[in-house]
Amino acid sequence: MIFKTLDKLFFGITLVLALQVPQLADHYQQFLAGMHESSQWQINGYQQTAKKYNYASVDAMIEHHLQNAVPSVRDDAVQKQQTIIKYNELSEGLAVFQSGNIIQKLLYMLSPSGWQYIDNTLENFSFGLPITTEGILFGVLFGLFLNLLISAPSSMIAKRRRERKNKMD
């Protein structure tokens, strides 16, 4: 009886936690979109500067600045390269969040490129219930899966103990 109560309690906890994943994915997407917009603003500035000074492209301007004798100009060029790389990574992440399903979003958040923003997202995250069918369905199925994954071995052990006890009686 205690085992069944603990099993139900554990299922309730896993269900509530699993229902948070769609909420977290929404918050994460909003964070990525903000970072993407900020990076886009910077890159637009790079493009305007490259055009103003008659460079064929931002990359051509950066390459020229990397060869400059002034260390601060070279460092600035490296920062511009890193911003462009980060922008491309953010674009790929947003593509997953705009067209992917909840499992693809979760896998992206847990990937090395996605993990770097999870702390920032969790700082502003608040628990809630998803309002989409996909979110609720994911939460219920993932909660059941976690519950089965963790409780199945212990229920098998308990069943074997009962069988041994019944054979001894």
Side-chain angles (χ1 to χ4, degrees):
M1 183 166 114
I2 292 174
F3 178 75
K4 288 183 181 181
T5 304
L6 289 175
D7 186 46
K8 289 176 185 177
L9 178 64
F10 181 73
F11 171 70
I13 291 169
T14 57
L15 176 62
V16 169
L17 290 176
L19 285 170
Q20 299 315 301
V21 173
Q23 294 289 101
L24 181 61
D26 287 343
H27 280 82
Y28 191 91
Q29 181 177 2
Q30 291 172 6
F31 183 83
L32 277 186
M35 292 287 294
H36 187 265
E37 185 70 29
S38 174
S39 298
Q40 179 65 57
W41 179 82
Q42 288 180 303
I43 291 171
N44 288 345
Y46 304 161
Q47 290 169 340
Q48 289 173 358
T49 302
K51 184 177 180 180
K52 179 179 177 180
Y53 293 102
N54 299 318
Y55 286 100
S57 67
V58 173
D59 291 331
M61 178 180 71
I62 290 172
E63 285 302 318
H64 182 252
H65 289 179
L66 285 171
Q67 297 171 11
N68 195 297
V70 180
S72 64
V73 174
R74 288 193 310 268
D75 283 350
D76 183 60
V78 169
Q79 289 176 353
K80 283 179 173 55
Q81 279 181 326
Q82 291 171 345
T83 300
I84 291 170
I85 290 168
K86 183 65 64 187
Y87 175 78
N88 292 334
E89 289 174 0
L90 291 168
S91 295
E92 291 172 9
L94 273 179
V96 169
F97 279 86
Q98 291 170 346
S99 63
N101 60 42
I102 190 69
I103 294 173
Q104 291 168 324
K105 294 174 185 179
L106 178 61
L107 291 175
Y108 179 83
M109 288 189 302
L110 297 176
S111 72
S113 60
W115 187 251
Q116 61 188 326
Y117 298 123
I118 204 78
D119 286 340
N120 300 50
T121 304
L122 287 172
E123 284 179 19
N124 299 309
F125 179 71
S126 58
F127 282 84
L129 293 175
I131 56 172
T132 64
T133 305
E134 180 187 31
I136 293 170
L137 186 62
F138 172 81
V140 170
L141 292 176
F142 194 68
L144 280 170
F145 173 73
L146 281 177
N147 187 46
L148 288 174
L149 185 69
I150 294 173
S151 68
S154 58
S155 65
M156 296 274 289
I157 292 170
K159 183 179 177 182
R160 287 186 183 175
R161 284 184 182 171
R162 281 192 304 269
E163 289 174 356
R164 286 182 192 163
K165 185 179 177 183
N166 288 341
K167 286 182 182 179
M168 291 181 160
D169 289 340

